[in-house]
Amino acid sequence: MQSPEASTAAISTRTSLHLALAAFADEVVGTLARLFAYVGTLALFAILGLAALGQLPDLRDDELAPQPGWTVADRSQPGFALSRLDSSEKTASYTILRHPEGGRRDVMRWTGDADKVLAQLEIYREGGEFDLTRPATMDLAVQMGLNAATPLEQAGLIETKFGPVALFRPVAAAAGERACLGYLKRNEEPALQISGFSCQGDTLPAQRAAIACTLNRLTLLTSGNEPKLADLFARAELKRRACDLAGSPDWLLGAANAQLRGAL
């Protein structure tokens, strides 16, 4: 039989052991909790990082796309080109935009110093996203680097292989201010819209001649299984006119600016 002193010592030992085990367990639980919190934080940062990376293409596309919903189609092949006047011509930038509802925009751009856009040609094959109530001149103003609400006035017509094409310029240009000259041609069947602008040329006739020459040189590379589109360009080729190089000093035609003359 144990003495009272021995019994007290045994109880004290067991108590100390229990306290030590409890303290160890608390420390383990605390360490695991901190570890889970650390791993959770890393996972959260990883998710946020992946989400941010996933948005980068959208940000890039928004910069190029004319309206929400359009994205750059890097893997699509160009559907159009400009026939070359001579072998020294440079290639223009070519961007293809697609819309989930079927629309497609092929955009050719020519730039000058500091990547300033000097001219643009856009072929818009309309899809379900096309808004009949939206004035076409609003999109044309945006193409020209203006606010969508900027008023444009008609600046005459030019004759091309696609028929008459309407010209537009900012209303402010009426007072004598030199500005870019926009153009717009819409076809109902197939649903197709050709538009763009030219900022080069010292005179209005020079700008008009350059735009006419650009449209007359526009050719179809592939119709994308759209027979009506192929037929439109086939019939237009029968009306094609030669460019009047001598009468137009515009940058698309003039020898002095050969480095900026551009076509695919």
Side-chain angles (χ1 to χ4, degrees):
M1 184 174 180
Q2 289 183 332
S3 64
E5 292 80 3
S7 241
T8 301
I11 292 172
S12 177
T13 300
R14 286 197 297 272
T15 301
S16 298
L17 181 59
H18 284 311
L19 291 174
L21 290 175
F24 177 74
D26 289 341
E27 184 176 350
V28 170
V29 171
T31 300
L32 289 176
R34 289 191 294 272
L35 181 60
F36 282 130
Y38 177 72
V39 172
T41 301
L42 289 179
L44 178 61
F45 280 125
I47 292 173
L48 292 176
L50 290 175
L53 288 175
Q55 291 299 316
L56 287 179
D58 293 336
L59 294 176
R60 178 195 62 189
D61 296 345
D62 289 342
E63 182 180 351
L64 295 173
Q67 296 177 29
W70 293 88
T71 56
V72 176
D74 292 324
R75 298 184 179 181
S76 297
Q77 295 299 315
F80 306 89
L82 292 189
S83 59
R84 296 177 181 274
L85 290 175
D86 57 64
S87 60
S88 66
E89 290 187 304
K90 302 293 183 179
T91 300
S93 67
Y94 199 116
T95 304
I96 299 172
L97 305 170
R98 286 189 177 275
H99 195 280
E101 296 187 36
R104 167 170 167 155
R105 296 176 186 264
D106 289 59
V107 184
M108 303 181 201
R109 289 174 177 168
W110 292 264
T111 58
D113 296 336
D115 291 331
K116 180 181 178 181
V117 181
L118 299 177
Q120 178 171 302
L121 169 62
E122 177 181 294
I123 303 95
Y124 173 23
R125 280 181 271 182
E126 302 161 6
E129 79 293 336
F130 182 70
D131 185 2
L132 285 171
T133 64
R134 180 182 173 88
T137 53
M138 293 181 66
D139 291 335
L140 181 58
V142 173
Q143 287 186 49
M144 297 171 69
L146 306 172
N147 186 286
T150 301
L152 300 178
E153 65 173 2
Q154 290 194 11
L157 295 171
I158 54 174
E159 187 62 36
T160 73
K161 69 179 185 180
F162 299 103
V165 174
L167 301 176
F168 297 87
R169 62 182 176 184
V171 172
E177 178 184 350
R178 179 172 171 270
C180 301
L181 189 63
Y183 55 92
L184 180 65
K185 174 68 175 180
R186 189 167 187 274
N187 190 75
E188 295 291 342
E189 193 66 31
L192 181 76
Q193 185 170 281
I194 301 174
S195 61
F197 64 90
S198 174
C199 297
Q200 289 287 320
D202 295 331
T203 64
L204 181 60
Q207 290 179 316
R208 290 168 57 93
I211 292 173
C213 182
T214 298
L215 295 179
N216 283 330
R217 294 168 59 198
L218 180 62
T219 60
L220 179 68
L221 295 178
T222 174
S223 62
N225 296 322
E226 298 180 48
K228 292 182 179 180
L229 180 62
D231 181 63
L232 171 66
F233 273 78
R235 286 186 285 108
E237 277 301 303
L238 299 176
K239 306 174 185 177
R240 183 175 181 175
R241 299 179 179 180
C243 292
D244 181 11
L245 300 183
S248 176
D250 192 87
W251 69 278
L252 281 172
L253 311 176
N257 293 306
Q259 72 277 11
L260 294 180
R261 299 197 325 242
L264 289 177

